[in-house]
Amino acid sequence: MNQDLNPPIDRTGTATVSAAQPQPGGTVTVPISQEEVAITTRVVDTGRGVRVSKTVTEQPEEIREVLWQDSMDVRRVPVDKVVAQAPPSRYEGDTLVVPVLEEILVVEKRYRIKEELHITRVRKQHEHRETVPLRVEEVRVEAFDDGRPDSPRPQPKE
């Protein structure tokens, strides 16, 4: 029987063969061995790290926006008209007409429209310009070590 089929290997890398022991009854017992490995990890302080620095700068930026501004144009229009009851306000196109009433003493009470207010919305468009500051962040990351003689110096990046 060939005993060199799977010889055990020691840590130096050389194979060793142990002699098989004959047992009574003509059988040969071949010892079988198995290696096992246990792996663990540990934290090692290398003295190396990174430094992160951030700077914030402001850059002027011009903004342009179209703005609307409303103003009211009020005209007084004399009417001098007697009516039986107070008329409601009304619109004539974009103009709001508000009757201004006055009571007059007569044998009977009547309404007379003294004047009307004609209110028209006047819309003007103009461009608004303003320079506002905008912030910009810049980040710099650099590697460093604590000066240990066994730790390599980082090469500056260009």
Side-chain angles (χ1 to χ4, degrees):
M1 179 171 204
N2 186 358
Q3 294 180 356
D4 291 335
L5 292 176
N6 290 314
I9 301 175
D10 64 12
R11 298 219 181 258
T12 61
T14 59
T16 58
V17 177
S18 60
Q21 302 294 326
Q23 298 293 321
T27 61
V28 177
T29 304
V30 178
I32 299 175
S33 64
Q34 176 179 341
E35 289 185 340
E36 294 182 359
V37 66
I39 299 173
T40 59
T41 60
R42 60 189 166 103
V43 177
V44 176
D45 183 9
T46 62
R48 301 172 100 192
V50 293
R51 179 177 296 123
V52 178
S53 59
K54 177 174 82 168
T55 58
V56 178
T57 59
E58 290 184 354
Q59 296 177 346
E61 182 74 26
E62 182 177 310
I63 57 171
R64 292 181 177 195
E65 186 62 36
V66 174
L67 304 177
W68 290 97
Q69 178 180 356
D70 289 339
S71 64
M72 300 297 166
D73 177 34
V74 179
R75 287 184 307 138
R76 294 179 175 263
V77 178
V79 176
D80 197 23
K81 178 179 171 184
V82 176
V83 292
Q85 60 184 13
S89 299
R90 68 186 187 279
Y91 275 97
E92 291 180 359
D94 289 341
T95 302
L96 173 64
V97 177
V98 179
V100 178
L101 302 176
E102 170 185 63
E103 288 183 342
I104 55 173
L105 186 59
V106 191
V107 177
E108 60 185 4
K109 195 187 304 186
R110 301 180 193 168
Y111 289 105
R112 178 176 62 122
I113 300 175
K114 178 179 171 183
E115 66 179 345
E116 292 179 335
L117 297 179
H118 291 220
I119 303 170
T120 305
R121 176 183 297 177
V122 179
R123 180 170 273 194
K124 297 177 185 175
Q125 177 180 344
H126 62 88
E127 185 176 293
H128 176 76
R129 290 185 183 202
E130 182 177 345
T131 300
V132 296
L134 298 179
R135 293 182 183 99
V136 176
E137 293 183 346
E138 293 179 21
V139 177
R140 187 178 64 189
V141 178
E142 58 182 295
F144 68 90
D145 60 26
D146 65 357
R148 292 185 183 179
D150 60 340
S151 58
R153 293 278 178 193
Q155 299 298 322
K157 292 185 179 181
E158 295 181 12

